[in-house]
Amino acid sequence: NKQYITADELQTVMGISRGKAYEIIRSCNQELKAQGFITIAGKLPLAYIEKKYYGFDSSVLTRKEETKKKKKKRPLRMHLRQ
């Protein structure tokens, strides 16, 4: 069970640029620090972003992880020149 979201994941879920994702994380981390919480640079607690952003669906993250796990690796195909 994930507790934190990274900028790359936030970018994917929200459909925003990586820079905007980092901007959101920095802003939220500043708010959390002002409330006395310890923060991790480049990461944001899922519980906070779900509360802060209306309609944020963290289940998208778990579905993507499950899809990655289910994908089977295809064998490499070698193309030989004749």
Side-chain angles (χ1 to χ4, degrees):
N1 211 6
K2 284 188 82 131
Q3 291 186 344
Y4 290 88
I5 188 169
T6 64
D8 288 335
E9 293 166 334
L10 190 62
Q11 174 186 7
T12 302
V13 172
M14 295 183 80
I16 56 177
S17 69
R18 179 179 280 163
K20 186 65 175 177
Y22 276 112
E23 184 181 319
I24 290 170
I25 289 174
R26 275 192 300 274
S27 172
C28 290
N29 276 340
Q30 286 174 351
E31 291 174 11
L32 287 168
K33 277 184 183 180
Q35 295 173 24
F37 291 99
I38 297 170
T39 61
I40 300 171
K43 293 186 178 187
L44 191 60
L46 269 175
Y48 186 74
I49 195 146
E50 286 173 340
K51 186 173 115 179
K52 181 83 175 167
Y53 284 88
Y54 176 79
F56 186 86
D57 185 12
S58 64
S59 66
V60 172
L61 294 171
T62 55
R63 285 194 301 259
K64 287 186 184 228
E65 286 177 7
E66 289 171 2
T67 304
K68 284 181 185 178
K69 289 178 184 177
K70 287 181 183 178
K71 287 184 180 178
K72 294 180 181 176
K73 292 185 178 180
R74 296 181 186 171
L76 294 175
R77 294 183 184 174
M78 301 291 286
H79 296 284
L80 302 175
R81 293 185 183 181
Q82 294 180 346

